[in-house]
Amino acid sequence: MHHQFQYIQKICEVRLKALATLQGVALGDGMEYNAFPGLVRSIHALLIAQISDLRSTLCKEACRAVAVLARTMGSSFNEIALLLIPSLMKQASVKTQIMSSAAYRCLFTLITASSNGGHQKILPFFFEQAGNKNAMVSTRRTSIECICLAVALWPCDYLKKESASMRNAVKAGVTDADKEVRKVARQLFWVIQANPVLASDAEKLYASLEPASQKHIQQEKTAPVDGDLEQLLSKPFPPPDKIMPNPITLPQAYCTTNSNTFKRS
């Protein structure tokens, strides 16, 4: 039994070291090599395995590695991001806070990953999940929060193309059975309204809602936005080295195991 635990510890440390090395290459000169994006895509299944691992140390470090790759690879990471998002969304819903927080922040990093609007191909996934009544409550809420962040930060020309999907997300959210989902959907409305290109869409959307939903939206004008989303919407996004913690130091002992006219004030 003692030898088995030593073996598990060694394997965990090897994986952590590999993830740290991957981050180092990405932050170094990895993108100077044309083959690098293809190599990263070839190991996407391994990244998914680490994200989904029951050990919080591995999950957290894998989410950190994905965040670094998203920030350094730009549009080359688009297709890879699509492959990783379902696993990240699943981990963002687990009860272990270390793991769920890491995955949650990583999803936000994908939204904010580049100055030209992040990895735009991922937004349809969030639209789909926001209106999926069979999805977990946390999945619907996180999806709407990600849409909020995209609307606040992404280029207006792209967002205009997705105005119908945004309206549908708000409509689905404000009538959701869960009060937290309804709350973030109302916040999404005000984020849409604050965008000068989308303000007219917000007025049409408001007029199409039930009176009860309109009343709650008006009450949301002065309500604070919760948590990490409030921080990201209220100030410029931090530089890449501030998004995730500094590179890890390998553990010495063992890896942790866990399982009308509208204006917002």
Side-chain angles (χ1 to χ4, degrees):
M1 183 69 73
H2 178 70
H3 291 299
Q4 288 178 326
F5 279 121
Q6 284 184 325
Y7 176 74
I8 293 172
Q9 173 189 339
K10 182 177 180 180
I11 292 299
C12 183
E13 291 181 353
V14 169
R15 292 182 182 182
L16 287 169
K17 186 175 181 179
L19 288 168
T21 301
L22 178 60
Q23 294 173 63
V25 173
L27 290 169
D29 58 358
M31 285 304 293
E32 294 183 12
Y33 298 91
N34 294 332
F36 185 68
L39 291 173
V40 174
R41 194 184 192 288
S42 70
I43 62 169
H44 78 272
L46 296 175
L47 287 172
I48 291 173
Q50 311 319 307
I51 293 169
S52 305
D53 199 279
L54 296 178
R55 286 162 287 198
S56 60
T57 309
L58 271 174
C59 174
K60 181 179 178 180
E61 195 59 29
C63 289
R64 191 199 326 267
V66 171
V68 169
L69 290 170
R71 292 292 286 174
T72 57
M73 291 179 63
S75 60
S76 299
F77 197 69
N78 284 353
E79 299 296 336
I80 304 170
L82 285 171
L83 298 171
L84 303 179
I85 281 181
S87 298
L88 288 168
M89 186 65 80
K90 183 178 179 179
Q91 290 299 80
S93 301
V94 301
K95 294 182 179 180
T96 306
Q97 188 173 3
I98 294 176
M99 300 166 71
S100 61
S101 295
Y104 184 79
R105 296 280 303 169
C106 186
L107 286 168
F108 273 21
T109 303
L110 292 178
I111 295 294
T112 60
S114 62
S115 59
N116 64 351
H119 302 289
Q120 297 178 354
K121 291 186 177 182
I122 69 178
L123 201 54
F125 174 87
F126 297 121
F127 287 138
E128 179 182 355
Q129 294 303 309
N132 183 2
K133 301 303 181 183
N134 295 321
M136 295 178 64
V137 170
S138 58
T139 295
R140 300 199 299 273
R141 174 178 175 168
T142 300
S143 294
I144 296 175
E145 288 177 329
C146 287
I147 297 169
C148 273
L149 196 56
V151 174
L153 301 179
W154 284 11
C156 294
D157 55 348
Y158 176 78
L159 294 172
K160 189 66 176 178
K161 299 175 184 178
E162 298 291 343
S163 59
S165 296
M166 285 185 282
R167 291 196 300 269
N168 290 336
V170 173
K171 286 182 177 180
V174 297
T175 58
D176 196 275
D178 183 80
K179 64 179 183 180
E180 293 300 325
V181 176
R182 296 196 299 271
K183 179 179 176 65
V184 295
R186 294 192 295 266
Q187 292 170 349
L188 173 57
F189 170 84
W190 288 111
V191 175
I192 294 172
Q193 195 279 330
N195 189 310
V197 174
L198 303 175
S200 60
D201 292 308
E203 294 184 18
K204 295 176 183 177
L205 170 58
Y206 183 87
S208 69
L209 297 174
E210 295 294 327
S213 296
Q214 293 177 347
K215 177 181 177 180
H216 289 304
I217 284 176
Q218 288 295 335
Q219 291 173 343
E220 198 70 35
K221 279 200 298 185
T222 57
V225 181
D226 295 331
D228 288 337
L229 185 61
E230 178 183 20
Q231 297 177 17
L232 292 173
L233 291 176
S234 63
K235 58 186 178 181
F237 197 70
D241 60 335
K242 299 299 182 182
I243 295 172
M244 302 294 281
N246 293 328
I248 64 162
T249 299
L250 291 179
Q252 297 300 315
Y254 56 88
C255 297
T256 305
T257 303
N258 291 303
S259 11
N260 289 323
T261 298
F262 312 104
K263 184 176 181 180
R264 179 155 190 165
S265 300

